[in-house]
Amino acid sequence: TGRLPFPVAPRDAWRKSVLTGQFAPLARHLPNPPAEWQAFFDRARAPAPAERPKSASEFFRALGQALASPTR
């Protein structure tokens, strides 16, 4: 879409968005995305490290599963 998931200005707003995990839902930029896609992005961008994938291989495995979900 060419849009960032977080506001970039002012800088404090961007920082707060990143730290609190407040980002635009995927559906704002992509009509009717599969729920698995949103779940993947929610987990990948979770503010708490324990909620995110533990390794690159876990990240890519989850991405592959999300992308393999049927599209609408």
Side-chain angles (χ1 to χ4, degrees):
T1 65
R3 296 184 194 127
L4 298 173
F6 302 98
V8 293
R11 184 176 175 173
D12 289 339
W14 175 84
R15 185 174 187 271
K16 181 180 177 186
S17 295
V18 172
L19 293 175
T20 61
Q22 296 174 350
F23 50 87
L26 187 58
R28 183 178 294 170
H29 306 291
L30 179 67
N32 301 314
E36 294 85 357
W37 291 13
Q38 184 64 61
F40 167 77
F41 285 110
D42 288 346
R43 182 170 178 228
R45 298 184 290 192
E51 296 173 12
R52 296 190 297 257
K54 307 291 184 263
S55 64
S57 60
E58 186 178 335
F59 175 90
F60 285 111
R61 186 173 28 257
L63 176 60
Q65 291 171 348
L67 294 176
S69 67
T71 58
R72 299 175 201 190

